[in-house]
Amino acid sequence: MSALQQPMAGVKVLDIATFLAAPFAGTILADFGATVLKIEHPKLGDPMRAFGTPTECGDTLAWLSEARNKQCMTLDLRHPEGAAVFRRLVAQSDVLLENFRPGTLEKWGLGPDALREINPRLVVLRVSAYGQTGPKRGLPGFARVAHGFGGLSFLAGEPDGKPVVPGSTSLADYLSGIWGAVGVLMALRVAERTGQGQDVDIGLYESVFRLLDEIAPAYAKTGFVRERMGADVPTVVPHGHWQTSEGRWVAIACTSDKIFARLAEAMGRPELTAPDRFEKTAQRIANRSEVNGIVADWAAGMTMEQLGAACDAAEVPWGPINSIADIFADPHIAARENILRIIDERAGELALPAPVPRLTETPPTLRHAGRARGADTQEILGNWLGMVAEDIAALRQSGAI
């Protein structure tokens, strides 16, 4: 499939953000065919290049994975000549991605209002710790802080333990990138109809708060404050993690009375669904420890293969709790091609997470891993702005690129 057939073909994106949140929105757009220019400071570059596991090419695995499919150029936005070049690029672009502290671009004379005087259709994704408004708007923050402020870390951990990292340390960054990509797509749709761009404003904490089930309406309605419950959830039982005889962990999800009845049959305990036992969800919640103990005893007496076969036969949702080694060995993940293996010209053999979602007619492509700093500067200035070698050399001499 040619690049012109991809969903975002023809869309031009300027990525002046650093680290992960807003840039990840650019990665998603680039995976599906957008032309994304990663613009970095000529000397400092994006700190993401040094974040994570280093490789022989000087950039980390995180950079090689998450800066993929982007062209890389250098430009100092605080340099007068650099800002002038940037404005020329904006005139030809559809989207700008940024995650500076609120007010920074305005201080440089490059705020969205000023840029839309050049290009009224410009869509600007603005990701910050707390958003563009509110009393905390100017404060710094990273994903770990967002997890806490947005309510996610409070829920992560055992009931008698301290709050823990809710999975990926960078979860709020990735989620903000996804929300950002969604917002950009909607804003582009409006720009197509009206010719008018707009800002997409995301606070890192908002990306996790929006995903916390019914916690907000439940508190407003009843005053219920959900505490840490380990693998349990307040509304259904059994719904958690259990260990098998060989020490593997599995997840079992009984989200209805019918599924619990099927699990009881699989365990050889049909009497558990009697009206005076655990037939209904409310009965199981009231006797959470006993029900979980019964499932724990059953799981402990079986291998994971045996438990999986019993659950599959009874149509009970279950799955292994996989390490990354388990994921690499799993035949389903291999069949779905969820891991892309490539040979990178700078870093050699790489295995990268495949793009999501899967489009059947216009699938995403991986054209290359994250590029070297400034690798495409000359080509971009020449092709986009028609600059000749002498012009580019002068910009380099001045420190603007």
Side-chain angles (χ1 to χ4, degrees), residues 130-369:
Y130 298 99
Q132 298 296 313
T133 59
K136 288 181 174 286
R137 66 182 294 270
L139 297 179
F142 288 95
R144 180 179 290 271
V145 177
H147 297 157
F149 192 76
L152 181 60
S153 294
F154 186 82
L155 304 175
E158 294 300 324
D160 57 350
K162 66 180 181 180
V164 300
V165 176
S168 165
T169 307
S170 303
L171 183 62
D173 289 318
Y174 283 109
L175 291 174
S176 295
I178 295 169
W179 287 120
V182 172
V184 164
L185 293 175
M186 290 189 286
L188 284 174
R189 175 78 170 166
V190 174
E192 288 173 2
R193 294 201 308 262
T194 68
Q196 183 61 46
Q198 60 185 296
D199 295 350
V200 179
D201 175 10
I202 297 175
L204 286 176
Y205 77 92
E206 295 170 322
S207 296
V208 294
F209 174 68
R210 180 60 184 86
L211 303 181
L212 297 186
D213 302 321
E214 63 164 19
I215 286 176
Y219 175 73
K221 185 77 170 177
T222 68
F224 174 67
V225 177
R226 180 176 164 183
E227 303 284 343
R228 289 182 287 286
M229 299 181 65
D232 278 344
V233 294
T235 53
V236 289
V237 178
H239 196 284
H241 303 157
W242 287 272
Q243 195 169 27
T244 62
S245 61
E246 77 272 51
R248 292 291 304 273
W249 285 91
V250 299
I252 299 175
C254 285
T255 55
S256 71
D257 296 334
K258 287 184 177 180
I259 294 175
F260 178 71
R262 296 202 295 266
L263 177 61
E265 289 288 344
M267 294 191 297
R269 300 287 305 275
E271 76 280 2
L272 295 176
T273 60
D276 62 342
R277 295 295 306 278
F278 310 127
E279 179 187 20
K280 300 298 183 183
T281 296
Q283 294 169 299
R284 296 193 298 278
I285 291 175
N287 296 277
R288 180 184 299 274
S289 295
E290 184 178 357
V291 174
N292 281 341
I294 292 169
V295 179
D297 290 343
W298 175 68
M302 309 180 77
T303 65
M304 190 177 76
E305 184 177 357
Q306 292 169 333
L307 181 147
C311 286
D312 287 343
E315 297 186 349
V316 173
W318 83 282
I321 296 180
N322 284 333
S323 70
I324 189 60
D326 298 324
I327 288 172
F328 266 66
D330 191 278
H332 182 85
I333 286 170
R336 293 281 291 176
E337 298 181 339
N338 296 130
I339 298 170
L340 300 180
R341 298 179 184 273
I342 66 167
I343 303 296
D344 179 67
E345 61 183 11
R346 298 195 300 136
E349 217 173 301
L350 294 174
L352 308 178
V356 177
R358 183 181 300 263
L359 273 63
T360 57
E361 302 303 321
T362 55
T365 59
L366 181 65
R367 299 180 292 283
H368 55 76

